[in-house]
Structure formats: structure tokens, C-alpha cells
Amino acid sequence: WRLYYKFEVRCAVSPLAGSCFLLEVPVYQALYRKYRPQTFDAVYGQRHITVTLQNQVQYGRVSHAYLFTGTRGTGKTTCAKILARAVNCEHPVNGNPCNECAACRAIDAGACLDVLEIDAASNNGVDSIRELREEVSFTPAVGKYRVYIIDEVHMLSIAAFNALLKIIEEPPEHLLFILATTELNKVPATILSRCQRFSFRRLRPEDIAGRLNFIAYQEGIQIEPAALRLLSRLADGALRDGVSLLDQCASACTGELTEELVCRTLGLAGAKRTAELLMAAAKQDTAAALSIFETLYAEGKDLGALFDELSALCRDLLVLKAAPKSGISMLSGIADEAQAVELEKCLTPAELLRDLSLVQAAKGAVGKNADARVAAELCLMQLCEPALKLDLSSLGARVSKLESRLASGDFAPARAAAKAEPQPESEDDDRPPFPDDADDPLAGLAPPPSQPQSPADSAPQTGAQAELDRRWPELAASMREDLGVRERGFFAPGGPVRAVLKGDTLILTAQTQFVLDIIKNPRVQQLAAQKASAFFGRPMQAQFALAGQTDASGKDPMDALIARGKEHSDIMTIR
């Protein structure tokens, strides 16, 4: 169908010429109006509703009141108009309107007095409903039913709802009400109980992509699959929004519609930029994150849309953490599968929850703050540096990161000490150097090179000790399977715990007192004794000691001092 503006141009050549010319200029029609379904069969993604309505029309079981509810752009008003034509159609086809008879053409053109569409947002007073009550008693002029379509019915006032209730409760036989709303919770229960309710669901992204692909083909628009996926994700379950976005982006291109062009037209950062921004936050690289943001800000990207993309990406990663296998099918599509899997490995669930909370808070601040750039940069700094905010979520994220690194054995002892130049030490200061990274409690765990070793440790290795050194990674891996998360990371290959053999005693030596305090407990001691007994094929015992501080018996001298202190305390108590 084509619409035309009609211009009447009178001939000015001669005053006696009374003829006129009628020029018809074609008018562009929006795609969502051009491709609006005209029958129930053409409605996309709402088969559970259209089949019921078709059967009611076909078998004469039409109710007097319907309530269509659901999110925007899912087909509520479209189905209401189709139903209005179907019940008044002179030649219905399997419950569908023929769209060819006089009644269908009049209703579609808006010229039928028997079908009225009322906007409750602008006619929400009780006076409007009272006028409606006076009109409903008149019989239809052309069709079988007088149909009233009340859109956004939840906007009616309480008095208007009470006036409408009386009409719906005892309607004439020729009257049909179709109510549509996006907020079902605001409709009184007395109205709900007198209507047949149909819930329109959100359309899946793949369904929207299929419909957009069909429309693009009909309109001669070349569009790549990545752009289709992006538009279907941005539609958020509303087909009308997806078609409108396609219409807008198609007007901005002369060739193929690509994902990059869609992002540029709609002011979006894009999946790649968003993933890079979150990866910089995961690596705690503040400079890189601010540099990426500066580029996006200079390009005029919408900050609200940027934080929407970050929020969706954090949500996808949380889904992958909770459901690694089935979560792939639940991704929103903000990043491809490879990017999502890579980011998921770099962030713990506690970090993702913290990041999601910060992004949601920043999104609200960006909309209300006059200087949105400062609010956005502050959020990025907090994402990259958890130490800037000492709340429970930030502390939990830091602890979760530390536990994840310990469990995987991924830590770098004294990584900052290798970069720093050696500083002269004073004679009266024998404290170990502090690591320059205050956020990494594992930094600086390596013992100083000048640490003295006991004669037992410096003695030539026996055959059993050499065999133990060679197979220690195997023994440590066997222990890690039964250790808790707190101790497991210290037994990783190259970790701060080593094993020394003294007769029938396996001594687990720790490089620092911090590590010793964590691993020194009866559960670890019993497990080490069991694994060592199986390893050597004879009964073994396990002890703990600091590296270089074990005596010939294999016992930690600190244990003897503690025992003597307890014995002295008991003697003093008896006295």
C-alpha cells in the first residue's frame, strides 16, 4: 500500500481556465507500520495467543472483554485491531479477517464508527468513561460489534475504573472491549476477573533476527549477520523496537549495513570495546581503562548505553560462572562466546557482583549528574582499583581474587622486588623489605638470598632425599587433591612449600612464617603422613618447620620453646 500527499495546483495561465491538476507525491512509511501484520497468521512469536483468538472467532465464542498485557512492541495493539476486523468481517477466513470487504477496509482506514481506539493516558478521567457509557447502548452501524480498544488502560483513575467496571460487568450483546496495558499490577482485580487475559511474551533474539532479515530482504537492505544479532539484542524482546532500529540504521548507510555502522549510528561502544574495557578492569590497569574511555567519549558515545553494555557483559559472565555449559545459550550477545569465556577466566563471582553493582550505580549517576564524565571515570577507577573503596563488596572481591590465585597456583613471589634496585640496608634495621604492591599479600614471600641454612640442609643429599626432590611435584599434586582452598595453592609446583626427609620424618618447610602458620595444622600433618607413607612404602611422620631452621631430629625449634613455655606455666600454676 502507498500513501500520497495530494496537492491541488490551479492553472494560472488564463483567468478563464478553471481546470486544475492533481499531483500525487509518494510519502515514506515507517517500516514498523509498513510491515504491521494484517492477520493472526502473520503475527510473529505469539502463536499461543493468536490460535486461541482465531478459534474463538471461527466458532463464535468471542468474549465481551479481553485484556492484553505484556511489554512494549510485542503485538498487543496489533492483535486488538486484527480482532476488531475479524469479528466484523463479512467473509472471515479460518478466524482471520479477509481485509477485502467494506467493513475491513473501513476499520483499517479508521473510518468505521463501530471501532474506536481510546488512549487512556490522555482520556483517564471519569467524564470520558461516562461519555463512553452513553455511547455503548447504540447498536453497530455497519458491523456486528461495537469494539472499544482502550490502550494503556492502567492510566485510568480509580473513579474511571469504577465507571468502566459497570459497563464491563453488564455489557450489551453487541459490545466488545479490548484493554491493553504494559503494567498489569496497576489494573484493579475487579477488572481482571471480568476479562479474558492474554500475556504477550518477549520475543527471543533469534526470532527477532529472523524477522529483521526478512524485512531487510524485502526492502533490498544488505545486512551482515553480526549487525542482525546486535539489532535483535538491542530490541530487548520488542519486535517493533528492532524494526525501528533497522529503519534508522538503514537510512545511514549506502552499502552493506555492518555491525560497526550500527554502533556508530546508535552511539554504542560495541562488543569489542566493551570487552576491552572490562578486561582492563580485570587486570587492574587503570591507565588502559581510562584511555579506552577517553577514546569512546571523544567519539561521542552515549555514556548510558556504555554502562548498559558493561552491565549486560557482567551479567553474561555471572551466568557463565553459574552454568558453564548451559549458560552459553543464555548470553545476551554483548560479546561473542570466545570473548566471554576469556573474560570469565579472569574474574571471580565476587568481583563480577561488585563490578555489576558499581556499574548499575554509575548508570544512575550518569543520568542525574551534570558532569557525567567525572561520574563515569570515578566508576572505572573503582573497577580497576578495589583498594579505593573499603566496603564489604570490595573486600570480598579482593579476598575472592586471592583465593582464586592460591587455588590455581598462579602467583609471583617478590615480583616487585625483582624490578626495584637494591637499597643499602642500615646496620640497626634487620626487617625484611616491604613489597611495593600493598594489594598483593603474596608479594615478597620468597626468602632473602642471604638467609642462613642449617648444616642439615646444606649436607649432601642422600639417595632418598634426591628421589624425594625429583618426585616432590607428584607428591604435592597428590596432596593438593585433598587439601582445602586455603592451603592448596602453597603446594603448587614452584610454591613456597618444600619437603625435607629426615629418617622416617617428612619435614614440610615453609619459606616464611606467614605460610607456615597457614599450613601448620593437624589435618595437613595427617594428610602429609599418609601420602608420604604410601610414597615410601613404610610408616612415616610429618613435621613443619621454617626453611633453614630444622635441627638434626627434624623438629622445629620453635615447637620446643612453646612446649617449655607451657611446662613452665603449669609449674607456676601448681605453685
Side-chain angles (χ1 to χ4, degrees):
W1 293 357
R2 294 182 180 273
L3 297 180
Y4 295 91
Y5 283 126
K6 294 184 178 180
F7 298 93
E8 185 175 318
V9 182
R10 296 190 177 275
C11 181
V13 176
S14 170
L16 300 178
S19 61
C20 64
F21 301 96
L22 189 64
L23 301 181
E24 295 183 347
V25 181
V27 180
Y28 179 75
Q29 189 176 15
L31 292 182
Y32 82 89
R33 296 183 59 195
K34 183 177 181 180
Y35 290 93
R36 170 171 280 176
Q38 299 298 316
T39 62
F40 287 121
D41 293 334
V43 176
Y44 210 73
Q46 307 294 344
R47 190 66 179 166
H48 63 293
I49 294 176
T50 56
V51 170
T52 304
L53 295 178
Q54 280 182 264
N55 292 337
Q56 289 186 351
V57 174
Q58 183 175 2
Y59 298 110
R61 299 177 181 175
V62 178
S63 176
H64 69 283
Y66 293 89
L67 177 62
F68 294 166
T69 178
T71 57
R72 69 185 189 282
T74 53
K76 299 185 298 297
T77 305
T78 297
C79 286
K81 292 182 177 180
I82 296 174
L83 181 60
R85 292 199 303 271
V87 296
N88 288 302
C89 181
E90 298 175 3
H91 310 288
V93 181
N94 297 327
N96 288 309
C98 67
N99 295 319
E100 296 179 356
C101 63
C104 288
R105 291 199 303 269
I107 294 173
D108 190 59
C112 182
L113 298 178
D114 295 334
V115 178
L116 298 178
E117 187 173 357
I118 302 172
D119 179 21
S122 55
N123 299 278
N124 56 0
V126 65
D127 294 336
S128 301
I129 304 300
R130 286 173 179 170
E131 294 178 2
L132 188 148
R133 289 179 59 180
E134 296 176 358
E135 297 176 1
V136 297
S137 58
F138 297 103
T139 57
V142 178
K144 303 175 184 177
Y145 288 90
R146 288 184 64 87
V147 182
Y148 289 87
I149 303 174
I150 305 179
D151 201 7
E152 300 298 332
V153 70
H154 64 272
M155 299 291 291
L156 293 178
S157 63
I158 299 299
F161 268 124
N162 291 333
L164 180 63
L165 177 62
K166 186 61 177 177
I167 309 175
I168 296 179
E169 188 175 12
E170 299 177 358
E173 294 182 355
H174 60 267
L175 190 62
L176 174 61
F177 277 100
I178 306 176
L179 314 179
T181 180
T182 57
E183 299 183 26
L184 183 63
N185 58 305
K186 295 184 179 180
V187 180
T190 52
I191 299 292
L192 295 177
S193 63
R194 290 167 172 82
C195 299
Q196 287 191 11
R197 181 169 57 184
F198 292 88
S199 298
F200 288 70
R201 65 187 182 187
R202 294 177 181 269
L203 273 71
R204 296 178 299 178
E206 52 269 25
D207 294 337
I208 296 178
R211 182 62 175 174
L212 295 182
N213 191 29
F214 169 78
I215 295 176
Y217 173 76
Q218 294 292 328
E219 294 294 318
I221 303 172
Q222 297 181 2
I223 183 170
E224 66 178 15
L228 274 177
R229 289 193 298 269
L230 178 58
L231 289 174
S232 62
R233 181 185 62 81
L234 294 175
D236 193 23
L239 182 57
R240 183 181 61 219
D241 292 0
V243 177
S244 298
L245 292 175
L246 175 64
D247 197 359
Q248 177 182 351
C249 295
S251 303
C253 74
T254 55
E256 184 180 19
L257 183 58
T258 62
E259 182 181 13
E260 181 181 358
L261 183 58
V262 171
C263 293
R264 186 164 64 248
T265 305
L266 301 180
L268 303 176
K272 183 178 179 181
R273 295 284 189 86
T274 306
E276 290 176 354
L277 193 59
L278 190 59
M279 180 62 76
K283 295 180 178 179
Q284 299 186 0
D285 192 348
T286 309
L290 292 178
S291 177
I292 296 172
F293 173 77
E294 177 65 24
T295 303
L296 296 175
Y297 187 80
E299 294 175 356
K301 303 301 182 183
D302 183 14
L303 297 184
L306 173 62
F307 283 106
D308 277 337
E309 292 177 87
L310 280 174
S311 177
L313 184 54
C314 291
R315 176 260 176 197
D316 287 352
L317 297 180
L318 277 172
V319 170
L320 280 180
K321 287 286 187 182
K325 295 182 179 179
S326 60
I328 297 294
S329 61
M330 294 185 282
L331 298 183
S332 62
I334 186 61
D336 57 31
E337 183 178 340
Q339 289 176 325
V341 171
E342 182 182 0
L343 283 169
E344 184 264 340
K345 296 178 181 178
C346 299
L347 293 165
T348 63
E351 288 180 297
L352 289 172
L353 285 174
R354 169 186 170 272
D355 293 351
L356 186 57
S357 300
L358 288 175
V359 169
Q360 292 285 352
K363 179 183 174 183
V366 164
K368 299 178 182 179
N369 198 343
D371 195 351
R373 180 177 182 178
V374 174
E377 290 176 341
L378 179 60
C379 174
L380 292 178
M381 292 180 185
Q382 291 177 349
L383 289 176
C384 296
E385 301 181 16
L388 292 178
K389 195 173 183 181
L390 297 179
D391 57 351
L392 292 178
S393 61
S394 299
L395 291 176
R398 295 167 65 185
V399 172
S400 175
K401 186 72 172 180
L402 176 60
E403 290 179 345
S404 176
R405 293 177 60 190
L406 287 175
S408 61
D410 180 20
F411 54 88
R415 65 181 178 188
K419 301 178 182 179
E421 298 181 358
Q423 300 291 336
E425 298 182 0
S426 60
E427 297 181 356
D428 56 347
D429 189 5
D430 56 350
R431 295 175 297 176
F434 288 96
D436 61 351
D437 189 357
D439 290 336
D440 189 359
L442 293 177
L445 289 181
S450 59
Q451 184 176 358
Q453 296 183 353
S454 65
D457 293 337
S458 60
Q461 291 183 342
T462 62
Q465 180 64 41
E467 178 69 13
L468 176 62
D469 291 341
R470 185 176 65 84
R471 298 184 60 187
W472 166 245
E474 178 184 349
L475 178 59
S478 177
M479 294 183 60
R480 288 184 65 190
E481 296 178 356
D482 299 325
L483 287 173
V485 177
R486 190 164 179 261
E487 305 94 357
R488 188 182 304 160
F490 295 116
F491 288 84
V497 176
R498 306 295 296 177
V500 178
L501 186 62
K502 302 290 186 180
D504 292 338
T505 302
L506 181 70
I507 305 174
L508 299 177
T509 61
Q511 293 180 356
T512 64
Q513 186 65 41
F514 170 75
V515 178
L516 183 63
D517 292 340
I518 293 179
I519 68 172
K520 190 175 181 179
N521 59 71
R523 183 170 55 85
V524 178
Q525 184 177 14
Q526 181 181 2
L527 178 62
Q530 293 177 356
K531 298 294 184 180
S533 299
F535 184 81
F536 289 101
R538 66 177 187 269
M540 297 288 293
Q541 297 181 354
Q543 297 290 341
F544 301 95
L546 281 173
Q549 297 186 14
T550 57
D551 57 12
S553 64
K555 297 182 179 180
D556 188 354
M558 184 59 69
D559 293 338
L561 291 176
I562 294 175
R564 289 184 181 179
K566 290 183 178 180
E567 181 180 355
H568 180 70
S569 176
D570 294 340
I571 294 174
M572 294 299 294
T573 302
I574 294 174
R575 290 182 179 178

